[in-house]
């Protein structure tokens, strides 16, 4: 049995980088903090990096009630 390598990316990677809508740039640990419901069509998702979440007290959408 070969050792399991990083074949698949875990869904909640702690260091996932992505686009942060708050500082309009690429940040680390980007999470969706807000989903703006549009009248018709897909809603807009606003993602924030860890730094912006801490600065603005943003709660990740998945952690909201
Ligand atoms: Zn940011």
């Amino acid at each position: 049995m070969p050792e399991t390598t990083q074949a698949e990316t875990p869904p909640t990677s702690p260091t996932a980088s992505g686009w942060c809508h708050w500082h309009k740039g690429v940040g680390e640990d980007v999470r969706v903090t807000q989903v703006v419901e549009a009248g018709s069509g897909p809603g807009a998702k606003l993602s924030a990096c860890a730094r912006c979440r801490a600065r603005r007290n943003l709660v990740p959408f998945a952690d909201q009630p």
Side-chain angles (χ1 to χ4, degrees), residues 4-55:
T4 304
T5 54
Q6 296 178 345
E8 296 181 16
T9 304
T12 54
S13 180
T15 56
S17 60
W19 185 263
C20 173
H21 287 89
W22 295 92
H23 75 262
K24 290 180 168 55
V26 177
E28 291 188 355
D29 192 17
V30 172
R31 302 276 294 275
V32 175
T33 57
Q34 204 171 346
V35 177
V36 179
E37 301 267 347
S40 60
K45 293 179 181 177
L46 297 179
S47 302
C49 65
R51 183 174 292 181
C52 287
R53 291 204 310 273
R55 177 179 283 182

